[in-house]
Amino acid sequence: MVNSKEIFKSVSNFLFSKANKEFLTFLSFFFMAGIFWLLTALNDTYEQEVRVPVHYVDVPKNAVMTSPEDDTIRVTVSDKGIILLTYLFGDALRGIDIDFSTHSRSRGKGEVQNAELTKEVTQKLNASSKLISIKPDHLTFYYNYGEKKQVPVKWRGTVTPDDLYFISDVTYDPDSITIFASREKLDSINVVYTTMLNQTNFHDTLVVNSHLQHIPGVKMVPDIVTMHFMTDILTEESIDDIPIEGINMPEGKVLRTFPAKVGVRFVTGVKTYQKLSASDFRIIADYAEIESNPTPKCNIYLKQAPANVSRIKLTQKQVDYLIEEQN
């Protein structure tokens, strides 16, 4: 086993050899030069932008802030580097308080002017510091006294599955949210949207958590929703024996068509197709059209079809017909 005294002696000989003594001397001078440069630099005057949180305080219990209760301003300050460091990393500019009652106005809106912001920030600064600018130059906040409304949620953006797949259904959790705002805004908002989505190239169910699109002066509860985008495989299918129904028929008359039933061809998902039947479609012939333009054959039209079914085509667009009188 190596003796510890021998290890200590070897390390000492290495550190205090002539070459290493010169290197250690160089490092000490380099370190002192760095400290001297840093002290000189910190003694120079600079301009620095600092983010300052703004807190609205003494909000009445019956008031609901419909804009964030905390805001942020950006202040540019001029002073020596050592002072600016205290603003960046110390407590001097950790935040300013704005009294709600002093700045609230009628109709659910309050404003904090530049003079007030300047006053509050200046009180936090060192006597040697100079305030250069404040951005934004004023703040606006919104509130109400409990007016609210339930509205549905919709997604927006790009959500595109792989080729041969399509989105068969979208569910939201929750599917509606509560919004707090002024009466005018509540009356004008009937739906809220997510932030822009960008999801592509998927084929299994896609789960997305998304913030809701911010609306000034509107508080949303909750402000995040979970969406499930269900997918299905595209397939081209058909359904036959859908009866033709006469509409706008006068009393005592009956429309007979030959054939009495026709089919449709369409594109849909495999899962959707398994749930479809002829009763999900409605095909009609209009007596008013037949009467105004009598021809040997009448036109037939698709009047109703299920959701998630596209590119629907009738197997035939005209049929023979007979108008029967009933006693």
Side-chain angles (χ1 to χ4, degrees):
M1 182 177 293
V2 180
N3 192 300
S4 59
K5 290 184 178 180
E6 293 179 357
I7 295 175
F8 179 77
K9 184 177 180 181
S10 299
V11 171
S12 299
N13 290 337
F14 173 76
L15 290 175
F16 295 104
S17 64
K18 182 178 180 181
N20 281 309
K21 281 182 179 180
E22 293 176 354
F23 178 70
L24 290 173
T25 301
F26 168 78
L27 281 181
S28 63
F29 277 107
F30 181 80
F31 180 71
M32 287 187 291
I35 293 177
F36 178 77
W37 173 85
L38 180 61
L39 291 174
T40 302
L42 290 177
N43 202 44
D44 289 341
T45 299
Y46 303 94
E47 289 186 5
Q48 176 65 46
E49 184 178 88
V50 184
R51 298 177 68 86
V52 181
V54 178
H55 311 291
Y56 299 104
V57 298
D58 295 331
V59 180
K61 291 184 178 180
N62 63 337
V64 178
M65 294 289 291
T66 57
S67 56
E69 294 186 20
D70 295 330
D71 227 321
T72 302
I73 57 175
R74 306 186 309 277
V75 302
T76 301
V77 182
S78 174
D79 207 333
K80 292 182 178 180
I82 188 67
I83 302 298
L84 295 179
L85 284 178
T86 65
Y87 296 148
L88 288 171
F89 303 107
D91 294 331
L93 289 181
R94 279 293 170 86
I96 60 175
D97 294 336
I98 297 296
D99 185 81
F100 173 89
S101 59
T102 302
H103 300 88
S104 58
R105 300 290 184 266
S106 60
R107 302 179 66 84
K109 180 179 179 181
E111 291 190 353
V112 186
Q113 299 300 331
N114 183 267
E116 179 68 16
L117 295 174
T118 300
K119 173 186 172 183
E120 294 293 332
V121 172
T122 302
Q123 291 176 352
K124 303 281 187 178
L125 297 179
N126 191 288
S128 61
S129 299
K130 181 180 179 182
L131 180 60
I132 304 300
S133 67
I134 295 179
K135 297 178 182 179
D137 62 356
H138 73 283
L139 295 176
T140 301
F141 62 90
Y142 298 89
Y143 63 95
N144 73 9
Y145 290 101
E147 296 93 340
K148 60 185 179 180
K149 180 180 179 181
Q150 199 83 4
V151 292
V153 177
K154 298 293 182 183
W155 69 273
R156 66 193 310 177
T158 301
V159 181
T160 308
D162 291 338
D163 292 341
L164 302 181
Y165 286 82
F166 77 108
I167 297 172
S168 60
D169 193 17
V170 182
T171 63
Y172 301 84
D173 185 19
D175 60 1
S176 62
I177 65 159
T178 302
I179 60 172
F180 296 82
S182 66
R183 177 49 53 190
E184 292 81 2
K185 283 185 178 291
L186 290 178
D187 291 340
S188 67
I189 299 173
N190 295 313
V191 63
V192 293
Y193 292 95
T194 66
T195 54
M196 296 296 287
L197 304 181
N198 185 15
Q199 302 285 340
T200 57
N201 301 325
F202 62 93
H203 59 270
D204 292 325
T205 297
L206 175 69
V207 181
V208 179
N209 294 317
S210 175
H211 284 274
L212 298 177
Q213 186 71 46
H214 173 67
I215 304 174
V218 178
K219 180 178 182 179
M220 304 179 186
V221 181
D223 62 354
I224 297 177
V225 296
T226 300
M227 291 162 289
H228 293 76
F229 292 87
M230 271 72 80
T231 60
D232 202 353
I233 301 174
L234 286 172
T235 181
E236 187 170 1
E237 300 291 348
S238 64
I239 289 181
D240 299 320
D241 297 329
I242 303 172
I244 301 171
E245 174 189 346
I247 65 170
N248 296 320
M249 298 299 299
E251 187 176 353
K253 292 188 177 184
V254 176
L255 174 68
R256 307 286 185 192
T257 63
F258 308 95
K261 299 178 180 180
V262 294
V264 290
R265 295 189 181 92
F266 51 86
V267 173
T268 189
V270 172
K271 298 175 186 176
T272 301
Y273 175 68
Q274 294 170 350
K275 301 176 183 178
L276 294 179
S277 66
S279 61
D280 294 314
F281 299 84
R282 185 185 178 201
I283 298 174
I284 59 98
D286 190 346
Y287 177 82
E289 179 183 320
I290 296 172
E291 185 181 38
S292 64
N293 185 26
T295 57
K297 293 180 180 288
C298 68
N299 297 320
I300 58 175
Y301 303 96
L302 179 69
K303 186 69 173 179
Q304 176 184 305
N308 301 325
V309 173
S310 62
R311 302 181 217 169
I312 305 173
K313 294 182 179 180
L314 298 174
T315 53
Q316 59 191 92
K317 296 181 179 180
Q318 291 185 323
V319 292
D320 294 320
Y321 70 93
L322 178 66
I323 305 295
E324 290 186 353
E325 296 282 350
Q326 285 188 331
N327 297 327

